[in-house]
Amino acid sequence: MVQLTTANRLASLRTAPGLRERLDLPRRVVFLAAVSMIGIVTLLLGFIAWQGIQLFVKDGVPVGQVFSATWQPDATSGPTNYGLLPFILGTIAVTALALLISTPLSVGLALFLSEVAPRWARAIVQPALEIFVGIPSVVWGWLGLTILVPFLHDTFRHDFVISLPVLGDVFRVPGFLTGFSWLAGALVLSIMILPTITSVSFDAFRAIPQELRTGSLALGTTRWQTIRHILIPAALPGVLTAIVLGMTRAAGEALAVQMVIGSQPVLPRAVTQPIETLTAAITLDMGNTVFGEPWQDALWTMSLVLLIISVASVVLVRLINKRRMAL
Amino acid sequence: MSASTTPSLHLRGSRRSILADRAATVVLWGTGAFVLLLLGSIIVHFGIAAWGVVSPSFVLSDPSDTALGGILPILWNSIYMLGLTMLIAVPVGILGGIYMSEYAGDNKLTEAIRFAEEAISSVPSIVVGLFGLILFVDNFHMGFTALGGALALTMFNLPLMTRLSEQALRAVPQDERSASLALGATKWQTIQHVVVPLAIPGLVTSIILTAGRVFGEAAVLLFTAGLATPAHYDFTNFNLGDPASPWSPLRPCTTMAVYIYKLQSEGLGIYVSKVVDGSAAILISMVLAFNLGARLVGRLLTRRLTAA
């Protein structure tokens, strides 16, 4: 028998698995469990893609029509037109505004937690953030519906106009008709994505070597100068990843948005206006349409668009991180 | 870090940069205060809203159209759905975590699994629900069932469960593995008797965290488990093949989160908003309990298992 020292036995177990090891049952079982995720993704992509193209394949709708602005899916009330532009732009509009509100707040909060907060403050704020993550989206939607929407309606009912003597009205935002609006959706979303952006940016700031801070402070900079000129640039890939993750979550959120957005499939023009997103339209109409009819096929096309957005964001995050590795 | 006192400031820093620093400090403290204030007011809001609604009879009676009624069948459905989902997701997730932590090499396949993991996590929950709709409701002709809902929820939460268990397993020191292997244990014996037991606190935490997410999820279930409001459940009916039995996995299964969505969309009746407030308060307290439970149980188990 070959003499086995502890060292080379260990080494052989690690580096060159023998036949028995390769064939053993537990290994196969755990392998299947892990690989099942590839199976799920493949099936999901396949099924949604197949359903998503039915609008063009089976119903013969020209692909270009999807990019038009008119949504007239009901064949019983005139000629149909499956323009998805209001939904796509609506999703982009709500997501962008939510990011605009949430990013400064979340990155600030991440900076607070990693650079400013004493231990006791961090010990309170971090669990609070975890509770935020746990609050279900229908509850956020319900809060939006019962508090935010009436508040917006009661407070900003009148048109907001800036008039100049000669030029007349240079700026006009119509007041809220009902409170259900682009802004309401964006506000609800901005709170929902706050923990995501905060925790990923926090990790990015924590990962910065301490020497960068001490070096900068030793040169006589203030803490804010260190944050602005050293820490934020150093953590930028991580912060960008955080923003992309927040964006993905905002674009994919369905119920909370549907509850406050107002569901009007029009092109977004004013933040006080009710608009519609891809997710909200799917949520609202999927149950009211019949499987196989063009209207429902258009909803499947919307979900394909959503799927493309989310896969693209995964690829984007990977690209950002690859660049970080290279640096 | 303690950067609040930097003596060099007084020597070199201009007045403006010191002021900017002070202002930034105030603003950053403000963000922390804002989050606490927001959370505090949400909890107080639901505390007030639930006052006079949530009571033993609200939790223990059936829904009603003409009175406040209760949410017993829906609460039962939420717990049932959670149990059914975890029954599938926990073993698969932990086994997958074992592969990713103990076996996965640095190769293309591992890369592909990680990509799949991230891809599922980023797919909107409503799209996962639609996938469940085609697969279970349309292709398998199951209709809206608890089983279909649980399978869709499993698919949605498997990446989270797998990643959390992988992290828990990776946190076990390498020396423990080496020692076990050096004693002649096979790789699987090492995993079974050394790695997994040592990772139990982390695994339990990951199970509870996943459970919290499953409990509050609605979009995945909308088109897989259905929106029907159950009127009454006969809990003595153990016939699993009978769609009327509350124990059957092959029945429509409206959970709390879905019920809240359904009620607000119908918006009928004077009691609706009270019922929603009460349900939302219960939902939030359960999720809070899951979160705090995960921390507590994790800490307790760590202390007990590592001190022994």
Side-chain angles (χ1 to χ4, degrees):
Chain A
M1 196 187 147
V2 188
Q3 194 192 3
L4 279 178
T5 66
T6 315
N8 68 28
R9 187 189 163 99
L10 255 178
S12 74
L13 274 170
R14 285 259 177 71
T15 55
L19 188 63
R20 226 185 103 211
E21 170 112 7
R22 261 188 281 137
L23 288 181
D24 73 359
L25 189 63
R27 192 196 147 95
R28 282 198 223 166
V29 173
V30 295
F31 175 71
L32 272 182
V35 159
S36 70
M37 286 190 290
I38 297 183
I40 293 172
V41 163
T42 315
L43 274 177
L44 193 145
L45 286 172
F47 270 98
I48 301 285
W50 175 249
Q51 287 292 334
I53 59 169
Q54 292 307 311
L55 184 66
F56 316 117
V57 177
K58 186 167 63 65
D59 308 322
V61 172
V63 177
Q65 195 185 95
V66 164
F67 298 100
S68 63
T70 315
W71 173 246
Q72 173 38 271
D74 195 354
T76 57
S77 59
T80 57
N81 190 73
Y82 302 96
L84 300 190
L85 207 58
F87 308 98
I88 295 171
L89 290 182
T91 294
I92 293 173
V94 171
T95 305
L97 189 57
L99 284 177
L100 213 62
I101 300 166
S102 197
T103 304
L105 196 61
S106 313
V107 175
L109 192 58
L111 279 169
F112 171 71
L113 288 171
S114 86
E115 309 301 322
V116 179
R119 193 182 285 269
W120 63 265
R122 205 187 298 169
I124 304 174
V125 175
Q126 261 177 339
L129 274 176
E130 280 171 32
I131 294 172
F132 263 92
V133 181
I135 296 181
S137 67
V138 283
V139 173
W140 286 122
W142 177 245
L143 284 170
L145 183 67
T146 52
I147 297 173
L148 184 64
V149 168
F151 170 79
L152 291 175
H153 179 228
D154 294 344
T155 320
F156 306 105
R157 201 174 314 177
H158 303 292
D159 291 9
F160 182 75
V161 184
I162 297 176
S163 291
L164 289 179
V166 188
L167 298 167
D169 297 354
V170 286
F171 184 77
R172 169 184 285 272
V173 178
F176 288 92
L177 217 57
T178 55
F180 292 96
S181 57
W182 175 359
L183 182 64
L187 281 172
V188 168
L189 280 178
S190 63
I191 298 298
M192 293 182 69
I193 61 178
L194 179 120
T196 312
I197 304 184
T198 303
S199 69
V200 181
S201 323
F202 173 75
D203 291 343
F205 287 122
R206 281 284 92 186
I208 297 174
Q210 198 59 30
E211 287 79 7
L212 281 181
R213 293 184 184 88
T214 47
S216 165
L217 291 169
L219 288 172
T221 61
T222 63
R223 179 167 61 193
W224 174 241
Q225 284 171 330
T226 305
I227 290 175
R228 241 187 83 191
H229 299 291
I230 309 289
L231 299 184
I232 291 183
L236 200 59
V239 174
L240 284 179
T241 304
I243 295 173
V244 175
L245 290 176
M247 187 196 84
T248 317
R249 181 143 189 236
E253 175 51 46
L255 303 189
V257 175
Q258 196 280 316
M259 285 158 85
V260 298
I261 196 90
S263 294
Q264 295 295 320
V266 292
L267 296 182
R269 290 188 206 283
V271 294
T272 50
Q273 192 188 36
I275 55 171
E276 181 76 310
T277 66
L278 292 164
T279 51
I282 295 170
T283 311
L284 204 60
D285 290 343
M286 200 49 128
N288 305 325
T289 49
V290 182
F291 189 76
E293 73 169 322
W295 187 346
Q296 193 177 79
D297 289 337
L299 297 176
W300 288 106
T301 309
M302 290 185 200
S303 60
L304 179 58
V305 174
L306 278 172
L307 198 59
I308 292 169
I309 293 175
S310 62
V311 172
S313 72
V314 174
V315 175
L316 190 60
V317 166
R318 299 209 138 217
L319 284 178
I320 294 172
N321 284 321
K322 205 163 272 175
R323 195 172 150 260
R324 175 162 52 174
M325 300 280 183
L327 280 174
Chain B
M1 68 167 295
S2 60
S4 52
T5 52
T6 41
S8 52
L9 275 183
H10 302 290
L11 302 173
R12 296 192 49 198
S14 72
R15 226 184 135 68
R16 251 184 77 193
S17 54
I18 296 175
L19 277 177
D21 185 57
R22 295 268 156 80
T25 306
V26 171
V27 169
L28 293 180
W29 272 93
T31 59
F34 169 77
V35 167
L36 290 183
L37 213 66
L38 192 62
L39 184 65
S41 45
I42 288 172
I43 291 175
V44 169
H45 169 81
F46 276 111
I48 295 170
W51 192 259
V53 177
V54 178
S55 64
S57 78
F58 181 70
V59 175
L60 293 176
S61 50
D62 292 326
S64 159
D65 289 334
T66 52
L68 182 62
I71 53 161
L72 178 65
I74 296 106
L75 187 59
W76 162 255
N77 279 347
S78 269
I79 295 167
Y80 183 89
M81 184 66 83
L82 178 67
L84 196 59
T85 307
M86 297 312 272
L87 207 64
I88 315 167
V90 168
V92 182
I94 290 182
L95 289 174
I98 291 177
Y99 178 81
M100 294 308 278
S101 142
E102 307 299 316
Y103 289 98
D106 192 8
N107 54 32
K108 284 261 185 279
L109 184 66
T110 309
E111 184 79 352
I113 296 175
R114 292 218 184 279
F115 186 83
E117 204 175 73
E118 285 166 33
I120 307 176
S121 310
S122 77
V123 171
S125 51
I126 188 86
V127 175
V128 176
L130 290 180
F131 175 51
L133 175 67
I134 324 179
L135 199 61
F136 305 121
V137 181
D138 289 333
N139 273 22
F140 296 162
H141 300 291
M142 286 162 62
F144 293 139
T145 59
L147 183 63
L151 287 171
L153 271 176
T154 300
M155 294 192 286
F156 188 52
N157 288 290
L158 198 55
L160 180 71
M161 188 68 220
T162 308
R163 191 167 46 236
L164 290 175
S165 351
E166 182 192 339
Q167 282 166 4
L169 294 161
R170 272 190 197 278
V172 173
Q174 202 56 40
D175 292 352
E176 306 280 354
R177 296 185 181 83
S178 310
S180 166
L181 292 169
L183 289 170
T186 64
K187 180 146 185 144
W188 182 251
Q189 285 172 326
T190 302
I191 293 169
Q192 199 185 349
H193 298 293
V194 177
V195 181
V196 171
L198 280 171
I200 279 180
L203 291 175
V204 170
T205 309
S206 57
I207 291 172
I208 302 178
L209 287 177
T210 310
R213 209 167 88 145
V214 168
F215 203 77
E217 181 56 52
V220 169
L221 296 175
L222 221 49
F223 304 124
T224 49
L227 276 162
T229 308
H232 176 73
Y233 280 146
D234 175 13
F235 288 98
T236 55
N237 180 354
F238 287 104
N239 181 3
L240 293 189
D242 179 3
S245 161
W247 304 93
S248 164
L250 296 174
R251 65 187 166 91
C253 188
T254 305
T255 62
M256 300 264 289
V258 175
Y259 188 58
I260 291 176
Y261 180 75
K262 174 195 161 79
L263 284 186
Q264 67 82 29
S265 70
E266 292 173 347
L268 299 166
I270 44 169
Y271 294 104
V272 166
S273 77
K274 284 190 172 185
V275 173
V276 176
D277 274 334
S279 310
I282 291 176
L283 197 57
I284 288 194
S285 351
M286 300 283 273
V287 170
L288 254 166
F290 280 123
N291 260 307
L292 296 177
R295 287 169 166 271
L296 264 174
V297 171
R299 207 173 294 166
L300 263 175
L301 279 176
T302 312
R303 198 176 302 161
R304 174 150 309 172
L305 292 178
T306 50

